[in-house]
Amino acid sequence: MSSVIASTRFSVLDRSRTREGHTAAEALRDTVRLAREAEALGYHRFWVSEHHGVPGVAGSAPTVLAAAVAGATDRIRVGTGGVMLPNHRPLVVAEQFGVLESLFPGRVDMGLGRSVGFTDGVRRALGRDKDDADDFAGQLGELLGWFLGGSPAGVHARPSEGLTVPPFVLAMGEGAEIAARAGLPMVIGDLRDRERMRRGVDRYRAHFRPSRWASEPYVVISGTIAVAATPQEARRLLVPEAWSMAYSRTHGTFPPLPPAEEAELRAMTAKERGFYESGLAGHLAGTEDQVADELETVLKETGAQEVLVTTSTYDRAALLDSYRRLAGIVRARRGGA
């Protein structure tokens, strides 16, 4: 039995993926229901994401959705994976998390990313452009400053000032070094590119500077994990997302998730088929024993303290079963506690 798994925290990021034949409202309610289940299964955190103008994702307002999740649960930590800071004014983000922390004290996480808009049209609608992501480090510093005190203009963030909301940086590209220099916990994905992930983790640890937020490096690795009774059933969990990703790479828009059995029968061009097969590869997928072995390997390779599971699929019952099986792996490694 692996003591590495036993000492690791496991958490959930749900993207509120819409499904063919179902509404965006259903997707958001599904997220809240999944949060209740994740809490009952013993997961450490439940995070929600930010996407704008994407047909396949209902989660466009993560702090609003986080409030609904926190209100529907009792103990699990709740946060964002993440708020895309270049899309917003840091003062407004600080105020939103200050409200969340005031309503749900000691349960709120502030996961922050540096992406800005998905398309040119979305960026124009947000009043942003690609260059806004270049000053992420400055925006991050300004945001954290609102929790510490007022600005040179004499403005104070209410009710945020004086509160402690744990910040996390979603590391893509240079994000690892930004997280390290700021002395913040880092979330890095994805599990399909282990070598890139290891390089990012090494870079983060090498450059980490202790801060008031974290005295030592804290690494969260994120990615898709699918657990089922057979390898074939686990692979089926991956099919809807793989098809939607292949479609988005070839058509420029990210569609709702189709049922796996329909997606497998759909005609694809050679290019689409290549993206589809690539989308099925590299994830942690299989039976409990297979996934436990892979988990042990990746945790030893990265030294991560936490795993953030980001699985999306059409079949909600199969998704919940996967999370139950994963929680069972963790319980077994902890001696059934």
Side-chain angles (χ1 to χ4, degrees):
M1 294 297 181
S2 171
S3 61
V4 182
I5 292 175
S7 61
T8 302
R9 289 169 167 167
F10 285 80
S11 300
V12 177
L13 167 63
D14 192 69
R15 293 190 172 88
S16 303
R17 294 285 276 113
T18 53
R19 298 179 291 154
E20 290 184 3
H22 297 266
T23 65
E26 286 179 273
L28 294 170
R29 294 189 192 104
D30 284 342
T31 291
V32 175
R33 276 193 289 269
L34 182 60
R36 292 195 195 102
E37 298 284 358
E39 179 173 75
L41 290 169
Y43 285 91
H44 183 61
R45 310 177 204 277
F46 191 94
W47 283 5
V48 295
S49 62
E50 174 183 341
H51 296 273
H52 299 284
V54 180
V57 181
S60 56
T63 53
V64 176
L65 185 52
V69 168
T73 54
D74 297 313
R75 302 173 308 280
I76 196 168
R77 297 195 64 84
V78 176
T80 55
V83 165
M84 296 301 141
L85 198 48
N87 290 339
H88 311 280
R89 293 301 308 162
L91 171 61
V92 175
V93 176
E95 290 171 337
Q96 291 172 348
F97 280 99
V99 169
L100 282 171
E101 175 63 21
S102 298
L103 292 172
F104 308 101
R107 292 181 57 204
V108 177
D109 299 319
M110 186 166 58
L112 306 162
R114 65 188 295 270
S115 296
V116 55
F118 183 64
T119 64
D120 290 338
V122 169
R123 286 189 287 272
R124 282 195 300 271
L126 291 169
R128 298 289 187 266
D129 59 44
K130 287 183 178 180
D131 294 341
D132 287 313
D134 295 340
D135 190 35
F136 177 68
Q139 296 157 358
L140 182 62
E142 181 183 341
L143 170 60
L144 298 179
W146 287 114
F147 290 91
L148 302 177
S151 72
V155 177
H156 295 265
R158 311 289 189 197
S160 316
E161 190 173 308
L163 297 179
T164 300
V165 182
F168 295 73
V169 171
L170 276 62
M172 301 297 286
E174 68 182 82
E177 291 190 27
I178 292 173
R181 289 194 300 269
L184 301 181
M186 176 187 71
V187 183
I188 187 166
D190 66 34
L191 292 168
R192 289 178 299 173
D193 192 342
R194 309 282 179 82
E195 183 54 40
R196 184 184 180 198
M197 178 184 281
R198 283 194 298 270
R199 288 197 305 269
V201 170
D202 290 344
R203 199 159 60 245
Y204 168 68
R205 290 202 174 101
H207 294 279
F208 185 84
R209 301 173 185 170
S211 71
R212 71 183 305 275
W213 307 100
S215 59
E216 58 188 26
Y218 189 89
V219 175
V220 183
I221 57 172
S222 68
T224 294
I225 301 177
V227 195
T230 67
Q232 293 75 24
E233 289 177 62
R235 183 185 184 279
R236 198 170 301 124
L237 278 164
L238 306 175
V239 165
E241 186 81 13
W243 181 88
S244 293
M245 185 64 70
Y247 187 93
S248 74
R249 297 285 297 275
T250 51
H251 293 75
T253 186
F254 201 65
L257 296 173
E261 56 274 17
E262 291 184 20
E264 289 177 312
L265 297 175
R266 290 180 179 176
M268 299 183 209
T269 64
K271 187 175 183 180
E272 287 170 334
R273 176 67 61 179
F275 285 131
Y276 172 72
E277 295 296 340
S278 174
L280 290 171
H283 303 289
L284 270 61
T287 64
E288 280 95 329
D289 287 344
Q290 290 171 324
V291 169
D293 287 345
E294 286 236 40
L295 262 176
E296 183 174 353
T297 298
V298 73
L299 288 171
K300 286 178 178 175
E301 287 174 350
T302 61
Q305 289 99 326
E306 187 169 342
V307 178
L308 183 66
V309 187
T310 63
T311 310
S312 298
T313 196
Y314 182 91
D315 187 334
R316 300 297 296 186
L319 178 65
L320 179 55
D321 182 63
S322 177
Y323 276 117
R324 283 193 185 118
R325 290 174 183 272
L326 178 58
I329 293 170
V330 178
R331 275 197 309 274
R333 298 314 190 266
R334 291 174 180 168

